[in-house]
Amino acid sequence: MGGCCSDVRGGQQAVGGAQQATGNNGVGNNDAVDFFFKTKGLHALCTPIELSLSATKLRDRDIVSKSDPMAVVYKKNMDGSLEELGRSEVVMNSLDPAWIEKINVSYQFEILQPLVFHVYDVDTKYHNLPVKMLKLKDQEFLGEASCVLSEIVTKQSRRLTLKLQNKHGHSGLKNLGTLTVHAEETVASRDAVEITFRCSHLENKDLFSMSDPFLRISRIVENGGSVPICKTEVENPLVIECFDFNGNGNHVLIGKLQKSVVDLEKIHHEKVGVNLISPPSRLQNHEKVLKSQLFVDRIVEKKLNSFLDYISNGFELNFMVAVDFTASNGNPLSRDSLHYIDPSGRLNAYQQAIMEVGEVIQFYDSDRRFPAWGFGGRTYDGSVSHCFNLNGGAGCVEVEGVEGIMASYASALHNVTLAGPTLFGQVINTAAEIASRSLSYNSSKYFVLLIITDGVVTDLQETKDALVRASDLPLSILIVGVGGADFKQMEILDADTGCRLESSTGRVATRDIVQFVPMREVHGGQITVVQGLLEELPGQFLTYMRSRNIEPHAANLPPAPPAQDHHPYGV
């Protein structure tokens, strides 16, 4: 077997916040705020913390298998309301899960920070959905626990075990299990090690077939325990365990060993294998050296730059927006229309998405001039267009700031007749052309296209083809679904399930560049628009920059192009 593991989770910062962004009142680490303090010579009064979660003896709610638990972490506000900080992944068939996904919080000495933890058994029919999209009311509640963050960090081990209780605050006669929380300060290290492992002569643990082996790598923490950091299936000493995978969750340990990165480098250079160890058990009271061996085929040390390393050195996020003008939105003059402009000033779903996303991204674009399009409407010349300038002009498509987008959108509703069908291909190709042209004069620009739509994509395959072509470019695409349509096709475009898009010619996308969020999930209190849309953007940005070895050095940036070529955005 073979596998690759990196000890770095690069790109999990979000624009203006951590991966589990919490909004203005949350406790999540905010990179934008930290950067503001640093530019002023000040320091934010908080310490970034990573929470690792595990549980034992959870109640089994499944009939033919074990529960599939997921943990959700909240901060408790002063008014008693809960604000979600983040979710773990789903661990299949386990009553004693050790979740790998970490939850980021910021510890503040001067205030109490109550935390609430909920554990759910995720229904099998939702296993193909990203955890952020799961509706918690549809999952089986297994228990909750609460504490104050300072209770964890003041422990010598920085580990606190809590008894799970039911929603009424007590466990009654039934044991609901325990939840253990481990807090670790986040170290802003630029050092990363990528290691490729290979095993040979593994013991077969199956009777009627071959074993299905995978490696689990854990990091030794200060109190001597270990915290899992990655799985090879999909600088302290590392515990490397080799398991035989079983579908019921009872994975069988084949062997293990403990090595530092220095040890692994030596194994790589000497091109020899190291024998796995079978730990003591009830049948044998001593360790046994196995014939099974672990090899290190590749080990590379590298310096990784953060998202803010690029942003603070002149790299920009250039915002673009495309609005759906198809007839399914309803007559804009009717209050039932998704395009209805309320005289009281209350924003419709399109305006809300433009404002919330634009207000964040605009600070990362120096000139704040944004291309804005509409699609699916009958335009000024009487023809249906699937990519027309929102400002009504025939030349430059840019508008001034978020306010310019909002004004152009409101004006277009009076001058464009809603039509159809819903086609994304032309808008995506136009955005991709802009991103492609920028490469000839500036590698410090990264483009972000926001598409707001109410309908099912009619040109699904053409859209896939356009996205696969665009995956090689400095471009990310954010899609907000408004209204009550069935958005399953949108979820196909968002490759969160791990399956990259494939074009009609069989070409697979270089990387995932799409993030989709349905607005109704936001209204349901599950996530915010900005959190849902922007959480993957820094990772997509970093993946692009690193794959092309683009370093964030301002001195290496090329000079600006001539003024007449600076905005080649006409359509």
Side-chain angles (χ1 to χ4, degrees):
M1 67 166 283
C4 181
C5 174
S6 171
D7 67 348
V8 171
R9 296 172 301 283
Q12 291 191 347
Q13 306 152 304
V15 179
Q19 183 188 26
Q20 292 80 19
T22 62
N24 293 335
N25 298 320
V27 297
N29 185 50
N30 190 313
D31 287 334
V33 173
D34 290 345
F35 180 64
F36 171 81
F37 277 110
K38 290 177 183 177
T39 59
K40 303 295 182 182
L42 304 172
H43 299 282
L45 301 178
C46 63
T47 302
I49 296 290
E50 273 189 346
L51 298 181
S52 301
L53 306 175
S54 62
T56 59
K57 298 182 179 178
L58 297 177
R59 289 193 67 193
D60 192 2
R61 295 298 182 93
D62 291 351
I63 299 175
V64 296
S65 63
K66 297 177 182 176
S67 294
D68 305 315
M70 175 188 74
V72 184
V73 182
Y74 302 87
K75 84 163 228 182
K76 191 172 185 179
N77 295 317
M78 293 183 65
D79 62 359
S81 64
L82 298 183
E83 185 174 325
E84 184 174 325
L85 300 181
R87 302 181 181 189
S88 73
E89 77 278 19
V90 178
V91 175
M92 306 292 288
N93 293 306
S94 177
L95 302 182
D96 304 288
W99 291 285
I100 292 175
E101 186 68 28
K102 307 298 185 289
I103 309 300
N104 294 322
V105 300
S106 289
Y107 167 67
Q108 294 178 262
F109 171 79
E110 67 276 15
I111 62 173
L112 287 177
Q113 295 173 274
L115 300 176
V116 177
F117 307 87
H118 286 181
V119 180
Y120 293 90
D121 174 19
V122 176
D123 197 320
T124 305
K125 63 184 177 183
Y126 299 113
H127 285 176
N128 62 337
L129 289 180
V131 293
K132 67 177 181 294
M133 304 305 297
L134 293 176
K135 293 184 178 180
L136 300 180
K137 63 182 178 61
D138 294 335
Q139 317 308 321
E140 186 80 9
F141 184 79
L142 295 181
E144 72 171 28
S146 61
C147 69
V148 176
L149 182 57
S150 57
E151 290 182 270
I152 307 172
V153 298
T154 54
K155 298 285 185 184
Q156 186 175 11
S157 64
R158 296 193 180 179
R159 185 185 300 264
L160 183 65
T161 298
L162 305 165
K163 294 185 69 173
L164 288 171
Q165 301 176 330
N166 60 31
K167 289 185 177 180
H168 302 292
H170 55 82
S171 59
L173 300 177
K174 297 179 180 178
N175 182 7
L176 303 183
T178 63
L179 180 78
T180 297
V181 188
H182 178 265
E184 191 172 17
E185 287 188 44
T186 304
V187 179
S189 174
R190 297 290 186 268
D191 297 323
V193 179
E194 289 186 356
I195 308 172
T196 302
F197 294 104
R198 172 173 54 88
C199 290
S200 67
H201 301 99
L202 294 179
E203 290 188 0
N204 188 15
K205 297 293 186 177
D206 293 342
L207 292 177
F208 304 107
S209 63
M210 298 296 290
S211 291
D212 305 303
F214 69 91
L215 297 179
R216 184 176 72 181
I217 293 91
S218 301
R219 179 178 65 239
I220 300 296
V221 294
E222 290 139 346
N223 68 339
S226 63
V227 174
I229 58 175
C230 67
K231 283 185 180 180
T232 57
E233 77 213 50
V234 202
E235 258 307 323
N236 292 328
L238 302 175
V239 175
I240 304 172
E241 300 167 293
C242 184
F243 291 91
D244 173 26
F245 177 85
N246 285 318
N248 62 6
N250 294 322
H251 311 311
V252 179
L253 179 65
I254 297 175
K256 64 185 293 185
L257 53 83
Q258 180 175 315
K259 296 291 181 183
S260 67
V261 173
V262 174
D263 295 332
L264 296 175
E265 287 178 333
K266 183 177 179 182
I267 294 171
H268 171 64
H269 291 308
E270 293 180 353
K271 300 187 184 304
V272 296
V274 58
N275 295 84
L276 298 178
I277 303 297
S278 175
S281 66
R282 289 180 298 176
L283 300 179
Q284 60 177 46
N285 56 11
H286 61 279
E287 292 183 344
K288 177 183 177 182
V289 179
L290 305 175
K291 293 181 180 180
S292 307
Q293 288 191 315
L294 177 81
F295 293 83
V296 179
D297 283 351
R298 179 176 175 269
I299 184 166
V300 178
E301 294 184 30
K302 57 174 64 175
K303 293 282 185 179
L304 292 184
N305 298 295
S306 71
F307 177 71
L308 272 184
D309 288 335
Y310 289 90
I311 297 302
S312 61
N313 278 285
F315 285 72
E316 296 188 355
L317 300 179
N318 292 171
F319 185 43
M320 305 182 283
V321 65
V323 177
D324 185 340
F325 278 77
T326 57
S328 55
N329 284 280
N331 187 340
L333 298 178
S334 169
R335 288 183 173 272
D336 296 331
S337 171
L338 293 169
H339 280 310
Y340 178 70
I341 303 294
D342 194 328
S344 70
R346 181 179 179 182
L347 301 182
N348 65 33
Y350 285 91
Q351 293 173 312
Q352 182 182 348
I354 292 170
M355 285 293 294
E356 291 191 9
V357 178
E359 284 184 339
V360 172
I361 295 184
Q362 67 177 341
F363 294 104
Y364 300 90
D365 190 329
S366 60
D367 65 8
R368 299 190 186 181
R369 293 178 57 85
F370 309 130
W373 301 288
F375 60 92
R378 192 174 303 278
T379 58
Y380 315 92
D381 62 1
S383 63
V384 175
S385 173
H386 299 291
C387 187
F388 58 88
N389 293 352
L390 204 60
N391 61 12
C396 183
V397 68
E398 291 182 328
V399 298
E400 294 281 351
V402 177
E403 298 80 5
I405 301 176
M406 296 287 278
S408 296
Y409 164 67
S411 175
L413 289 175
H414 295 290
N415 298 291
V416 176
T417 303
L418 304 189
T422 305
L423 306 179
F424 282 2
Q426 192 172 341
V427 165
I428 294 173
N429 285 332
T430 303
E433 182 182 354
I434 294 172
S436 179
R437 273 189 255 170
S438 75
L439 294 177
S440 63
Y441 63 83
N442 198 336
S443 62
S444 65
K445 288 183 177 294
Y446 192 90
F447 296 84
V448 181
L449 171 62
L450 171 65
I451 299 177
I452 316 171
T453 182
D454 84 312
V456 177
V457 182
T458 307
D459 62 338
L460 182 60
Q461 189 56 60
E462 290 82 356
T463 298
K464 287 183 179 180
D465 291 345
L467 291 172
V468 170
R469 288 192 298 270
S471 67
D472 288 326
L473 298 171
L475 175 66
S476 285
I477 298 174
L478 315 175
I479 304 175
V480 173
V482 298
D486 183 352
F487 290 120
K488 287 183 179 178
Q489 287 183 334
M490 302 296 182
E491 293 166 3
I492 294 173
L493 301 179
D494 186 339
D496 276 350
T497 57
C499 298
R500 291 185 184 177
L501 292 178
E502 185 174 326
S503 72
S504 54
T505 61
R507 184 191 168 196
V508 177
T510 305
R511 59 194 180 92
D512 173 25
I513 64 170
V514 177
Q515 179 72 346
F516 166 70
V517 170
M519 184 70 82
R520 58 173 174 255
E521 296 294 339
V522 178
H523 288 164
Q526 302 290 313
I527 52 177
T528 67
V529 174
V530 173
Q531 178 184 352
L533 284 175
L534 299 183
E535 64 179 356
E536 292 184 6
L537 182 56
Q540 293 174 357
F541 173 94
L542 288 172
T543 298
Y544 175 82
M545 295 298 171
R546 290 169 180 171
S547 67
R548 283 152 183 77
N549 296 316
I550 300 174
E551 295 291 329
H553 302 311
N556 294 335
L557 297 181
Q564 64 268 24
D565 297 328
H566 192 55
H567 300 297
Y569 292 153
V571 295

